[in-house]
Amino acid sequence: IQELLRVMRTIDDRIVHELNTTIPTASFVGKVDPGQTCKELYESLMDAHTNRERIIKNCISQTSTVVKTLKEEREKAPEDSGLLKQLRKEQTKV
């Protein structure tokens, strides 16, 4: 998931470049509609943020389910150190 999030952050990381290429210079003002171009950039950013938020929430939900299951297993076998290690690892993710 970290790799996926890194890829999805590309537009945020390159926002200065995106703005510089979106806003037309004086020589291109007549050829490009800056309002439409900015609107498209805004929509692109909002889509990226929405998708990223959805993925993060999904990951949290799945990991929380795994943590709950591991806690239940841990209650049944409190001496299992491997289970404890796995539980701690999943809790760290959340």
Side-chain angles (χ1 to χ4, degrees), residues 4 35 60 66 84 92:
L4 180 61
I60 290 170
V66 170
L84 177 62
T92 302

Side-chain angles (χ1 to χ4, degrees), residues 36 38-48:
Q36 181 63 30
C38 286
K39 181 180 176 185
E40 290 170 3
L41 176 60
Y42 173 78
E43 289 171 355
S44 174
L45 280 169
M46 293 309 295
D47 286 344

Side-chain angles (χ1 to χ4, degrees), residues 66-67 69-92:
V66 170
V67 166
T69 303
L70 288 172
K71 281 183 177 180
E72 290 170 359
E73 290 178 23
R74 177 83 172 126
E75 288 175 7
K76 294 175 186 173
E79 305 84 29
D80 189 347
S81 63
L83 189 59
L84 177 62
K85 185 176 179 179
Q86 187 178 4
L87 175 61
R88 298 285 185 236
K89 181 180 176 184
E90 293 298 318
Q91 287 175 325
T92 302

